Amino acid sequence: MSWTPTREAFDQYMLPNYSPQKVIPVRGEGSRLWDQEGREYIDFAGGIAVNGLGHCHPALMEALKAQSEKVWHLSNVYTNEPALRLARTLVEKTFADKVFLCSSGAEANEAALKLARRYAHDTAGEQKNRIVSFRQSFHGRTFFTVSVGGQPKYSQGFGPVPGGIKHGTYNDLDSARELINDDTCAVIVEPMQGEGGVTPATPEFLEGLRKLCDDHKALLIFDEVQCGVGRSGHLYAYMHYNVTPDILTSAKALGGGFPMGAMMTTDEIARVFVVGTHGSTYGGNPLGSAVALAAVETISSPEVLKGVEARSQRFREHLQRLNEKYDCFSDIRGLGLLLGAEFKPSFGERGREVLAAATEEGLMMLVAGPNVLRFAPSLVIEPEVIDAGMACLDRALARVVANS
Ligand SMILES: Cc1ncc(COP(=O)(O)O)c(C=O)c1O
């Protein structure tokens, strides 16, 4: 018997850890989505920076269809071709010599943190186990990554938390200097904080962390789960900053909508992950790897990467125009196509209200905290779709202002 899922059914059947919007999208194409009633929406959210090439991109569809007719899953007992093709491409396009494949950002960070602890253990001894992270950071929801993340609200109530983790202030090198010492095994940082408010690191901060890590023989981990895979206008944001990490984690846009994650590092560090130290049933899944290869190859083309800056500029111009009209933003920031617009204190913490009004006006977008609007659209969004989406946001802001 056919059954049409409803928003009420979500509350009936799913755990209450999410509170989705009323709209139920059922189809997507490029930067547009359609709901159950056939109503069209412009997508400035990209599934929270996941659909880096929009919905149903032809190159990704082709890769998925072709692989689905060959083999869907192989255990890690066998070498699988798509996983190796993806790993080889990531190695060729980045600083890394070796890749560990998994299925999510949290898993990639979990692997990175375990690798850093193991490397320190094997090369310096057990006492070198301290991890330095930063407040407002987000690294995933596994128990280890949520404890390393810098937003206590996500780890409260799950104690006792794993030990040896300290949090400094983002973009404050003095605060990092106070925490990093010879017992530090790793410093983990997002080159641009996503969930924490769309805040890019200053070049001095990342350069300073690199030097502190070198001085204390600690590993520098860049969490590029949200800001990587083209979003900064470079394949990875470390290329924008010209600061090379020891370990880099990637997920979200890596699979363009298919669950994929990767942890990349150098030969010297990788060698401590000997057989049996770590693993994942789905890591390197052939379907996901085939799609991710198509995503990485498409996104790393000069045409797509160059287009990011022009689109970013168009977003910024629209946001500035809206700010002149409504006097609502205190800051418009970000890199490439991960942009944030922070509301003035006088406007209030009205991100969710604007989000709801935007949905009613036919625009899907994001917030990062209560007072920052977040934009993470497809990297190939058409200029006229940006204009149409911004017209929706204009109407949404007008409604919210009229309600004040
Ligand atoms: C920077 C960063 N790291 C890690 C994660 C966790 O990724 P996932 O939800 O795929 O586990 C996220 C998710 O938002 C993220 O933004």
Side-chain angles (χ1 to χ4, degrees), residues 53 153 221 241 342:
L53 290 168
K153 65 179 178 199
I221 304 172
Y241 286 100
E342 181 167 344

Side-chain angles (χ1 to χ4, degrees), residues 127-304:
Q127 80 296 340
K128 194 170 175 68
N129 60 36
R130 302 299 159 109
I131 291 165
V132 173
S133 172
F134 296 95
R135 281 186 276 280
Q136 299 300 119
S137 66
F138 187 80
H139 299 300
R141 301 286 198 146
T142 63
F143 198 26
F144 197 3
T145 57
V146 86
S147 310
V148 170
Q151 301 188 53
K153 65 179 178 199
Y154 293 131
S155 55
Q156 268 157 12
F158 298 109
V161 293
I165 303 162
K166 287 264 187 293
H167 296 95
T169 305
Y170 193 69
N171 275 340
D172 179 346
L173 208 48
D174 289 335
S175 143
R177 199 172 285 117
E178 274 171 27
L179 298 178
I180 300 171
N181 57 43
D182 288 346
D183 287 340
T184 306
C185 69
V187 175
I188 182 165
V189 65
E190 293 164 79
M192 169 159 51
Q193 287 191 335
E195 300 299 307
V198 192
T199 312
T202 62
E204 303 74 47
F205 183 57
L206 295 184
E207 285 159 15
L209 289 182
R210 180 66 276 176
K211 177 147 192 344
L212 283 167
C213 284
D214 290 343
D215 291 348
H216 295 284
K217 293 190 169 34
L219 299 183
L220 182 59
I221 304 172
F222 277 3
D223 176 345
E224 294 218 22
V225 168
Q226 187 155 161
C227 66
V229 199
R231 220 148 260 291
S232 67
H234 294 261
L235 182 58
Y236 285 102
Y238 83 85
M239 297 163 178
H240 165 83
Y241 286 100
N242 225 353
V243 175
T244 305
D246 300 298
I247 302 177
L248 183 145
T249 57
S250 184
K252 285 192 180 275
L254 182 61
F258 203 103
M260 275 302 295
M263 187 263 293
M264 309 174 216
T265 190
T266 62
D267 274 329
E268 157 63 15
I269 299 163
R271 72 189 161 83
V272 302
F273 256 19
V274 295
V275 174
T277 41
H278 195 60
S280 157
T281 293
Y282 284 120
N285 170 270
L287 292 167
S289 298
V291 177
L293 178 64
V296 170
E297 278 179 342
T298 308
I299 287 174
S300 60
S301 70
E303 187 198 342
V304 172

Side-chain angles (χ1 to χ4, degrees), residues 377-397:
S378 157
L379 305 181
V380 292
I381 187 170
E382 297 83 356
E384 59 277 15
V385 181
I386 300 178
D387 300 347
M390 283 296 178
C392 300
L393 180 57
D394 192 339
R395 293 196 299 274
L397 284 169

